[in-house]
Amino acid sequence: MKPMLIIACGALAREINALVAANGWQQVRVQCLPADLHNHPERIAGAVQDKLHEVDRGRERVFVAYADCGTGGRLDQVLAAHGVERLPGAHCYDFYAGEQVFAELAAAEPGTFYLTDFLARHFDRLVMRELGIDQHPQLAALYFGNYRRLLYLAQREDPVLMQAAERAAGLLGLAFEYRYTGYGDLHTSLLRFIEGEEKWPN
């Protein structure tokens, strides 16, 4: 059976490794690109392409655990050239909530700032420090003045992360809402790719 490689966004590392362990996928390995690429989407397609060039496709099948993630279709161009699939949707909120549900959430309140477990866990570093709000609190109104709510899309029911997400909403002056999504289409996409691959010949 041909081994499999998942090239993943570092922001999904914990969730993907949990799914690999829970499903007993021993033939799967995961390589994560830096989660900080989240803040530099223009670099994602090139980083994925560099990683794909390192893979021996005769020995491994590859799946890319990114959505479009702000690349404006550039990631899809890279993946099409290599014949590789990725996660569905425009971003991680899409595949966690499901595309239809996310579209309904966005339509109900366009001024929504979204958190996942990863972003709730690393909010201080990725938002407060990266945007300079920790040193200049007045920047929160500049960056988030058009937002009305913070919606935490939770992958796990974790009271510590819930508290962190509520705190984040307070720091940004936004109303707080919570929705448990679990792993959503992240799980179903990996199941389709990995379990489907098990039926293929070597």
Side-chain angles (χ1 to χ4, degrees), residues 97-113:
E99 290 188 67
Q100 181 175 343
V101 170
F102 180 78
E104 292 169 357
L105 291 170
E109 177 49 86
T112 300
F113 183 69

Side-chain angles (χ1 to χ4, degrees), residues 1 16-28 187 191 194-195 198:
M1 184 180 300
I16 290 174
N17 283 313
L19 288 170
V20 169
N23 287 280
W25 291 329
Q26 309 246 336
Q27 80 282 29
V28 176
H187 192 191
L191 277 171
I194 293 168
E195 296 195 352
E198 288 178 349

Side-chain angles (χ1 to χ4, degrees), residues 26-65:
Q26 309 246 336
Q27 80 282 29
V28 176
R29 69 187 183 101
V30 181
Q31 287 192 349
C32 291
L33 295 175
D36 288 355
L37 287 172
H38 240 275
N39 289 339
H40 303 282
E42 73 280 2
R43 302 178 187 172
I44 292 174
V48 171
Q49 180 165 262
D50 289 346
K51 186 60 68 175
L52 287 170
H53 284 152
E54 298 173 5
V55 179
D56 182 352
R57 298 293 298 283
R59 299 182 57 137
E60 289 184 303
R61 289 280 298 173
V62 181
F63 183 81
V64 168

Side-chain angles (χ1 to χ4, degrees), residues 1-2 61 196-202:
M1 184 180 300
K2 189 183 291 186
R61 289 280 298 173
E197 174 67 11
E198 288 178 349
K199 300 171 185 175
W200 292 13
N202 292 335

Side-chain angles (χ1 to χ4, degrees), residues 27-167:
Q27 80 282 29
V28 176
R29 69 187 183 101
V30 181
Q31 287 192 349
C32 291
L33 295 175
D36 288 355
L37 287 172
H38 240 275
N39 289 339
H40 303 282
E42 73 280 2
R43 302 178 187 172
I44 292 174
V48 171
Q49 180 165 262
D50 289 346
K51 186 60 68 175
L52 287 170
H53 284 152
E54 298 173 5
V55 179
D56 182 352
R57 298 293 298 283
R59 299 182 57 137
E60 289 184 303
R61 289 280 298 173
V62 181
F63 183 81
V64 168
Y66 272 91
D68 178 74
C69 297
T71 71
R74 289 187 293 276
L75 178 59
D76 283 337
Q77 291 172 8
V78 167
L79 299 184
H82 288 268
V84 172
E85 294 182 60
R86 68 165 173 86
L87 290 168
H91 36 62
C92 53
Y93 319 122
D94 237 352
F95 61 70
Y96 277 140
E99 290 188 67
Q100 181 175 343
V101 170
F102 180 78
E104 292 169 357
L105 291 170
E109 177 49 86
T112 300
F113 183 69
Y114 297 91
L115 290 185
T116 61
D117 284 4
F118 175 83
L119 291 173
R121 189 178 296 110
H122 298 286
F123 178 81
D124 284 346
R125 177 172 64 87
L126 293 176
V127 178
M128 300 300 288
R129 290 204 291 273
E130 284 274 336
L131 298 180
I133 299 172
D134 59 334
Q135 297 296 318
H136 305 282
Q138 69 274 15
L139 290 175
L142 179 64
Y143 286 121
F144 296 97
N146 292 324
Y147 289 85
R148 298 290 175 266
R149 71 172 175 178
L150 182 149
L151 177 53
Y152 173 31
L153 302 174
Q155 285 67 73
R156 295 184 299 126
E157 295 178 317
D158 184 326
V160 174
L161 290 180
M162 173 77 82
Q163 185 177 38
E166 287 187 281
R167 173 179 169 271

